Amino acid sequence: GENVEQHPSTLSVQEGDSAVIKCTYSDSASNYFPWYKQELGKRPQLIIDIRSNVGEKKDQRIAVTLNKTAKHFSLHITETQPEDSAVYFCAASGGTYKYIFGTGTRLKVLA
Amino acid sequence: DSGVTQTPKHLITATGQRVTLRCSPRSGDLSVYWYQQSLDQGLQFLIHYYNGEERAKGNILERFSAQQFPDLHSELNLSSLELGDSALYFCASSVTPDTGELFFGEGSRLTVL
């Protein structure tokens, strides 16, 4: 069945450093790859997404890269700030009407 | 505010009982997804409805069922509740049935004692 693996499960970085979170998906039909941020006690919210016809997308300090051949996609956050501390989820969807999330990465930005 | 409304926000009940969680999607959104999030866990996909029809099922237990009504609101019914069903249940809606941004409600926190 469909599966999305996400690593690492926890990540601590110093303020100003970069953070990278990686995901692997199993369903070849997937064509949409979003990333959500969930702050403590709140609902997940979309921060960036990428479609299968694009290899990279950037929005200010965050970027996402996609390698369709390897079924990998990654989130890159540069110049991290304390407010970036949260749980980040990758997801994959498209073709099956399922919207499958990874297991989440708890990012801590140390001041 | 995402525009997705979930009720109740909190619910405490006993094992063996049945509860109904309600979700009103954003105006114009035809897709409704349900997810279960246990303590410090990920978002487990339960079920997806589009315009009143079931489109996909995930790891949803047989004790759980859902439906989407003509006015597009959705209900998730959980029966014969067990301690392990305690979790935060999220509803999310989207315009399209398979891709695009999901807008999440605030969630319904279920505690089974």
Side-chain angles (χ1 to χ4, degrees):
Chain A
E2 303 85 355
N3 188 44
V4 178
E5 293 187 0
Q6 182 172 345
H7 299 281
S9 57
T10 60
L11 179 60
S12 293
V13 298
Q14 289 295 134
E15 182 178 358
D17 287 350
S18 295
V20 179
I21 303 170
K22 298 182 179 183
C23 288
T24 303
Y25 62 98
S26 61
D27 187 357
S28 304
S30 297
N31 57 15
Y32 177 68
F33 308 93
W35 288 86
Y36 287 78
K37 176 182 181 182
Q38 186 178 26
E39 296 178 353
L40 190 62
K42 298 198 173 179
R43 58 188 168 86
Q45 291 187 274
L46 180 76
I47 56 170
I48 195 168
D49 57 11
I50 192 168
R51 296 187 182 270
S52 58
N53 58 348
V54 176
E56 184 173 357
K57 184 177 178 181
K58 190 173 181 181
D59 182 5
Q60 298 183 333
R61 296 187 298 107
I62 59 174
V64 57
T65 59
L66 171 64
N67 182 331
K68 277 209 72 177
T69 303
K71 296 183 187 173
H72 288 170
F73 58 113
S74 300
L75 176 71
H76 303 253
I77 306 174
T78 59
E79 301 172 19
T80 53
Q81 301 167 2
E83 53 265 38
D84 294 329
S85 295
V87 179
Y88 292 81
F89 291 98
C90 62
S93 76
T96 64
Y97 300 103
K98 298 183 181 182
Y99 207 112
I100 304 298
F101 284 83
T103 48
T105 296
R106 185 175 300 278
L107 174 65
K108 291 184 182 178
V109 179
L110 307 171
Chain B
D1 184 6
S2 66
V4 178
T5 303
Q6 286 188 248
T7 57
K9 286 187 169 51
H10 300 276
L11 188 56
I12 301 174
T13 189
T15 54
Q17 295 299 304
R18 172 190 169 95
V19 298
T20 297
L21 309 180
R22 182 188 169 102
C23 169
S24 294
R26 289 189 327 156
S27 177
D29 285 357
L30 300 180
S31 269
V32 170
Y33 296 78
W34 285 97
Y35 290 89
Q36 179 192 58
Q37 186 173 44
S38 301
L39 192 62
D40 287 339
Q41 296 295 310
L43 295 159
Q44 291 291 323
F45 168 67
L46 296 179
I47 199 161
H48 170 207
Y49 278 86
Y50 178 76
N51 202 20
E53 295 188 3
E54 180 187 305
R55 279 299 175 102
K57 268 187 175 180
N59 298 322
I60 187 167
L61 300 171
E62 285 191 11
R63 300 182 286 107
F64 296 0
S65 65
Q67 59 184 130
Q68 187 179 28
F69 294 86
D71 66 352
L72 302 177
H73 90 271
S74 178
E75 293 181 356
L76 179 67
N77 301 296
L78 315 175
S79 62
S80 301
L81 286 168
E82 302 175 359
L83 296 178
D85 298 328
S86 295
L88 187 56
Y89 290 85
F90 281 109
C91 158
S93 74
S94 68
V95 174
T96 55
D98 207 18
T99 61
E101 181 175 1
L102 290 188
F103 294 88
F104 283 82
E106 299 293 332
S108 291
R109 181 167 296 285
L110 172 66
T111 302
V112 182
L113 300 176

